[in-house]
Structures are given as structure tokens and as C-alpha cells.
Amino acid sequence: MTYSLRGRESTDLKRAARKLSILTLAVGILAAGVASSPTPARADIVWDHWQKAESLASGGKQAEAVPHWQFLANHYAGLGEWENAALFCGKLDAYYDAIGNYEQAIYYYELENKYWVNAGRDWGAVKLQRADQIRTTVELYRTEREPSELKRQALPKNGQLAKFEPAYGTYLGMYSEQDPKVGNLFTKTESVYGKNHAIYLAYAHWGQNFPAMYAKRAKEAGAALQIAWEPDEGLDPVADGTYLRKWAQEAKAAGIPIFLRFAGEMNGAWVKWHGNPAQYIAKFRMLHDVFAAEAPNVAMVWSPGDVPANDIDPYYPGDAYVDWVGVSLYIEPYENGNPSLPSMISTSNVERLTRLYNTYSDRKPLMLSETGVPHYSHAAGEDFTEWAKLNLQRLYEIMPYKYPRLKAITYFNVDQKMANAKNDYSLSDSSEIQAYYSKLIANPYLLSKVSDGAQPSDKIGYVPVDANHQAFAKQTKLIPFVKIPDVYIGKVEYVLNGKVIASQADLPYGLTLKAGEVPEGSVMQIKVYNKSGSQVALRTYGISSQVSVELDGKTLSFEQAPIINNGSTLTPLRAIFEAMGAKVEYDAATRSVTAVKGSTTVRLTLDQKTVYVNGKAVQLEEPAQLVNGYTLAPARFVGETFGGKVGWDGSSRTVTISTK
């Protein structure tokens, strides 16, 4: 597993801090750089600002030093002296963070990182992390019942699913061997957590036999196996030969989908296979070719750690050799589990995936190869149950919805006690956490069976509430992603069209709305309060419901949704008539529609209230009309013309047509 902040990043940041602390000792050298400015007068101005800033800051007058730091940051950025520009941004972001002006702090944290990158340094990574910690976020997601939309947003750019990739939804995975209630008897998982899991994680080591027992146990549970295969002696011994071929053949004989995570976290200096990207790529490609020939049931997973971020990309073997992109991604209350180091409680797991997701999701499905949220810190002796619940919801409800190409999550279900990170990630040794986890994973969107093109049993997925996804049908569940610098949230308030309709203080956050409660053009506000009762965030969304049509109990899908016009519900004529077995023709010259079923013939003209059924004139309450190229007509007329019985469910805004 990995930690929040690696030693290299910590060392580099401290080096940067030391450099800043001795700026006054380096004045002579830096002034020489300033002397290259066009005029001596300009150098005097820079020197004056520098001296004034130092004097004010040392006297405790940081607020008065701000304009001088701003001048110096801008000056050195203008000269392309990126390290000096970054160091003065560091003064500014620290000041604004300390006084709680988080918007300005975020601006300068991001600017400082930009300047470090320009200088060829990765020292800004921890500054971006801090920016994410103090960023106020309010996002809203809702259920979506249209499979075509869900499949569209979950596909890569090339439109082709990878090996074992679900069409949409996220595989549920677990490392359970150290769970006293499950162990490696994977069939126990359902009785403990209420649901089968799709993937189980096992560890293997180069030179040892294929983990056949774990594969057998996974097969008994109807699951796939993720194998973290680690070359403990480094990459030199990894070669094609009898051992590898036999291992691959046994993998094929296992008869289950296998996600092979070879030499994971290769970007971290803590593993022996780190340090030679070219060698790593060559070995990974060789393994890919062997398994492609010997074991087609194996999907190759390339899986770095989420930090150090700047060392990830050089190790990528290439699209032709990678089936899935994985990542080890953990959060914890204290950096490296050490309470004497800075608190990490403000860190959210959601943002930690953003960079990797943006880089690779257009090409490959992503998985969290390992992840966890501790509910207890052994080193500090502190309980973090509330924090764990907050981030478990983010892990299982927010991340799969925000990142629709995130197709698998494997939870590291271990109490580490006083080893490594000294955190308790275990799900079953806390009855509250166990029950909460079971509640979260009951969602059918979290898939319990690996298969090509898998999808949730209820066909329901999730989309962001935005300009493209404002309207829903029948009923929807709203899931807010809320994050504030205070970390802990007092309550979330839902305001619909100016009226408070719900207030939640308990996790997990979410609200179910029926279509009848949300007329077209509605406005939903999410108000967030901290534990002190102060409102700290507000976000406004447009949201609407749309009319649905059921024919003999089956919901019909339309490219053009029904509309309400002058109090009448107009529904797509052709789609419904054809679903009822009628033949429909449209004459563009006369703008007329003719539909025939059995002995009944219907003729109507767009924008005219008079229609003819077997030659007999019938008056409509509203004329048929063309909307976005589709003919819409009053629902009752459409449903009853060929003998259907039409009803209306106001709570879900559903037209029901029964022909039986």
C-alpha cells in the first residue's frame, strides 16, 4: 500500500522551505540577478520591496507584507526566475491559508506549483494537495435510467470496451485475507457484508508458484481474482522461460477472469523495481505478450501509486500493452500515520484520482487496485469513525459517479495495528463501519460479477446535475458531494424553489425526489453548514422532471421526451403507435401523418386540431406539432386511438397505456 506523502516529496518541500528561510543570506547572489534588469533604478525598487517585506514579516505584520510579496512574485515571474517567484508565492499562500482566506490561498498554491513546474521541480505537489484540502466543493449527482446515455459517458474515445470492462457500473473488490470474518474463504463475504464481491485481491511473488488456492476460492465465490505480482528481487530476474510459461498456463487453467497487476507502485522509490522506466516497460511488454499467447483470461493492469505523481508517466508501457490502468490510492488522518507530522484529515480521496483519470481514462478503464479509509489511528489513539464514513461515501458513491471510467474498486480490508501506516482500515472490527459499508455497497451500480459489458441489474446509473442532465423521469435520487475546509459537516439542506424540503445531519447524504414534486424549470439549492451552524457553502442547480410513458407496464424510451403544452401532455406519436403495432407514414409535402393498425386508419395534419379516424372527424384538445423533428400529439388520443386504456400517475408524471 502507499501513503499520503512520500519521503521524496517531503524532503523536496523541506529543501524548498530551507531555501526560503535563508533568502536574506542569499541577497548578494540574487541581487546580482536583479542587477541584470534594464536600469539600476529597477534594481533599487526590487531591493526596497524585499527589505520592506522582510522587515514587516519579522515584525509580525504579514498583512502589510502582502503587497511586497505580490510585487516580488510578479517581478521574478516576469523575468522567468521561477524558483524565486515560487518562493514568494509560498509566502502568500501560507499567509492567506493562515487567516482563512482560502480562495486566495488556493490561487497562490496553484500558482506556486506552476512556477515550480516551470523551474523543473516537483516541489509544488504538496501545495496542490493543500489547495485541494481547503477547496470548498459542492457537486450534485442524480440517478439516470437511460442506458444509452450511461454507456456513452462510460466509454473511451475509441468506443471499444477493454477486456472484462463493464459497459457502466463499477466492480466491487476486496482484499479480505486479514479480515477475521472472511479470510480467504471468499464465499463468506455475502453473509458478512450482504453482497458478493466481483474481485478478490491476492499477492504473489516472482519465483513462487501461481496462487492456485486463491483462484480456486475466487471461483467458488463466482468472482475474479486480482493478483498483485511482485518481483521482490527487482526486475533483472523477470524473464521469459519455463517458470513464466507454466505460471501463465496455470492462470489459464484457473478458468476465471484474472486482473494481473505486475510490479505495482513502480513510481515509488520504496519498491525494488523502481528507478529504470525503460527496463520496467520492456518487462511489462514481455509479460503482456506471454499472457496474450498463453492465458487470454488475464487482463494486464498497469498500476502506479498516486504519489509521487510526477514519476508516473515515464513508466507507462503503452496502450497496446495495458488492458486496465490501476492505482494504489489511500487517505489517512496523519501523514504516514505519524501524529507528529501534519494532519491529513482535510484530504479527500476524490481529488487524488483526478490527475491519473484525466491522463488515462480516454484510453483505458481505471481501477483502484488498492484503496482504504481508516476509522482509527493506532499511533494517535484516536477514533475517526465520522471521517471514515464521510470518505467511504465519497469512495463508493461520489468517485464512481464523478469518474464514470472508474470501473473497479478493491478495498484493502486490513487493520495495520502499529505496522506501516498504523491505521485500522478494517471493515468488520467496527459494527458501525461494517453496517455502513454494507449499506453503501447494496447499490446495484457496484457490480458483483465480472463479465464483458456488464451493467447494473436495475439498469440505473448516475450523471452530474448540469446543463445537459437537468431533467429526470419518474423518480431520482440526488447525491451531493460536499467538502469544506472545516472537514466535518454540520448539515446539508435541500431547498427546492425557495422551500426547504429536507435537512440532513447524518451520513450518507442523499435525497429521493418524485417527478411530480419537480415541475419544469425548478431550482434546487444545496446549502452546507459547518458544525458551528454557520452556512459555509451554497450551490444552485436547475432541475426538472419530464413525463414518462408506460405501455403495458414497460417504460418507453424516446429521443424526444414528452412535453406539457397549454396543460396538455403531448407524447411522441410514431414511437408509441409503432410500439402498439401500427404502421406509420409521414408526408412532408402535406405535413400529415397516417397510421394503420388492423381495420383502423388515423390521419392527422400538424398544427390542426381536427384528425380523422376511419374518416370520422375527431377534435383534439391540442393539435399535433413538430418538436425537434418529432411529431408529438396529445397522450390520451395517442393511447386510445388503437384501443388502449390511458391513465395518469401524477406523483411520477407517468402516462400509462394498457392494451391488455
Side-chain angles (χ1 to χ4, degrees), residues 570-586:
L570 305 183
T571 56
L573 183 145
R574 178 185 290 274
I576 298 174
F577 275 0
E578 289 182 341
M580 297 176 73
K583 182 179 179 181
V584 182
E585 294 182 352
Y586 176 69

Side-chain angles (χ1 to χ4, degrees), residues 145-204:
R145 298 173 181 272
E146 179 50 59
S148 62
E149 169 62 16
L150 297 168
K151 291 176 182 178
R152 183 200 63 76
Q153 71 171 5
L155 279 173
K157 276 188 174 180
N158 66 12
Q160 300 298 313
L161 295 175
K163 187 181 293 187
F164 307 137
E165 181 181 352
Y168 61 99
T170 303
Y171 290 136
L172 192 59
M174 180 184 289
Y175 174 65
S176 65
E177 188 165 20
Q178 296 185 47
D179 182 343
K181 294 184 180 180
V182 178
N184 56 31
L185 297 176
F186 304 143
T187 53
K188 290 184 176 182
T189 306
E190 183 176 14
S191 64
V192 175
Y193 298 108
K195 187 173 182 177
N196 289 324
H197 284 47
I199 302 172
Y200 291 93
L201 170 60
Y203 290 87

Side-chain angles (χ1 to χ4, degrees), residues 541-594:
Y541 300 88
I543 189 168
S544 297
S545 66
Q546 61 189 33
V547 174
S548 301
V549 178
E550 286 185 359
L551 177 61
D552 294 329
K554 180 181 179 181
T555 301
L556 300 181
S557 180
F558 308 116
E559 293 188 27
Q560 169 60 51
I563 65 171
I564 304 292
N565 191 44
N566 294 326
S568 294
T569 301
L570 305 183
T571 56
L573 183 145
R574 178 185 290 274
I576 298 174
F577 275 0
E578 289 182 341
M580 297 176 73
K583 182 179 179 181
V584 182
E585 294 182 352
Y586 176 69
D587 185 342
T590 61
R591 302 181 75 242
S592 63
V593 177
T594 301

Side-chain angles (χ1 to χ4, degrees), residues 53-71:
E54 288 294 312
S55 174
L56 290 168
S58 63
K61 299 178 179 180
Q62 282 83 3
E64 295 179 38
V66 164
H68 301 287
W69 289 333
Q70 289 172 332
F71 172 88

